[in-house]
Amino acid sequence: EFEVPSDGYYCIAFKYIQDSKSKMRVFRKITIDGVVPCKELESYPFDSSTDWKIETLESSGEPLELYLTGGRHTLGIAVNVSVYESVLMTLKTMIAHINDFALQIRYLTGGGKIDRNVEWEIGDYFPGIDETLAAMREALKGEYSTASRINGNEDSQELTSFRTAIMLLERLMKDPDEIPKKLDLLVGSVGSIVSELSVALNGFQNMPLTLDRVYIYAGESAPSFKRASVFASLWEGIKR
């Protein structure tokens, strides 16, 4: 909770650090008295930082001024992964499809150790496999582009794993008949398409952020916050 002395427009800033996930942007839903005051705060981005930094909420590069009535108010901050909704849905769907595909192949091959001397004509058992794999690749590439745009770079672990999964899929696409002999590349516990997509999926849902202080001020810019026109409240060790 916080209190402002009079009706007027106020800016909000956070002193935060996000060094748990390098190059990963995290998002927060910010509310005043239980309500999101403007669309910019529905999913507000915080870039990764190796040191404490102060972020004034802004819109189009300008400080975001929120109208508050004099008196007490409640500030709410919650994780919001909805910006990745389509990405998460695609990743979950692809992981499920690939696991099901691998299960069918194991059933086809007897479930034991694959005889590498057997030549498989995978298209006889899975008609249209080439088109199916190509469609999967395009869907993943599309969501990769979306995730890269949202994150603002392609350097996070999540996007590296995402990119690796696409590369592995393209490797299998070169000779689908070899897939029964390369199931570990499809669904192995490490270094497979499913494991890399799972890293991306879990990473996009995990958005750490540590807050130290919240500043609410009016009538002045406060880049170093040596003075806060209303108050500076200390939030020790808040991790959401």
Side-chain angles (χ1 to χ4, degrees):
E1 289 190 348
F2 64 94
E3 186 173 350
V4 295
S6 59
D7 296 358
Y9 288 92
Y10 295 86
C11 295
I12 300 176
F14 299 97
K15 181 181 178 183
Y16 81 91
I17 190 170
Q18 198 293 89
D19 58 351
S20 300
K21 304 179 73 171
S22 177
K23 306 295 185 181
M24 183 66 181
R25 181 178 287 167
V26 300
F27 294 84
R28 291 294 185 269
K29 179 180 180 179
I30 299 172
T31 60
I32 302 291
D33 299 329
V35 177
V36 179
C38 58
K39 61 182 179 61
E40 289 87 349
L41 300 187
E42 184 66 43
S43 293
Y44 193 86
F46 292 86
D47 288 332
S48 63
S49 173
T50 57
D51 200 357
W52 292 99
K53 65 181 295 186
I54 294 174
E55 172 87 8
T56 295
L57 300 181
E58 61 178 38
S59 176
S60 302
E62 296 295 328
L64 189 60
E65 295 185 318
L66 303 175
Y67 185 80
L68 300 174
T69 57
R72 300 188 67 81
H73 298 275
T74 301
L75 176 67
I77 307 170
V79 174
N80 191 349
V81 300
S82 64
V83 290
Y84 286 116
E85 182 176 5
S86 68
V87 176
L88 296 175
M89 182 65 68
T90 296
L91 289 173
K92 291 177 182 177
T93 299
M94 290 298 174
I95 290 171
H97 284 344
I98 293 170
N99 280 328
D100 183 62
F101 179 44
L103 187 63
Q104 292 181 59
I105 291 177
R106 287 196 176 100
Y107 179 78
L108 175 66
T109 59
K113 186 175 181 180
I114 302 296
D115 186 347
R116 294 187 173 277
N117 294 316
V118 175
E119 296 297 327
W120 294 93
E121 296 289 340
I122 199 73
D124 293 344
Y125 303 94
F126 299 95
I129 184 64
D130 291 333
E131 292 79 6
T132 298
L133 294 177
M136 291 173 61
R137 177 188 60 187
E138 293 309 306
L140 288 173
K141 289 176 69 174
E143 296 299 346
Y144 174 84
S145 296
T146 297
S148 299
R149 174 181 53 78
I150 293 171
N151 193 52
N153 67 72
E154 300 180 60
D155 302 323
S156 71
Q157 178 59 57
E158 292 74 14
L159 286 163
T160 297
S161 292
F162 205 150
R163 190 165 57 247
T164 299
I166 294 172
M167 292 170 58
L168 294 174
L169 178 59
E170 291 175 337
R171 186 184 303 176
L172 291 179
M173 289 174 62
K174 293 178 180 178
D175 191 355
D177 291 337
E178 290 293 303
I179 291 178
K181 303 176 185 179
K182 297 180 177 179
L183 273 185
D184 283 346
L185 199 62
L186 195 66
V187 292
S189 58
V190 178
S192 70
I193 295 173
V194 164
S195 68
E196 296 293 345
L197 291 180
S198 296
V199 168
L201 174 62
N202 294 331
F204 288 132
Q205 296 178 98
N206 180 24
M207 294 190 173
L209 184 70
T210 301
L211 298 179
D212 179 65
R213 291 177 182 268
V214 178
Y215 301 87
I216 300 178
Y217 63 97
E220 62 178 283
S221 60
S224 61
F225 294 96
K226 294 180 179 178
R227 295 182 298 120
S229 60
V230 178
F231 74 92
S233 63
L234 182 62
W235 286 14
E236 289 288 359
I238 293 180
K239 295 183 180 181
R240 297 177 182 266

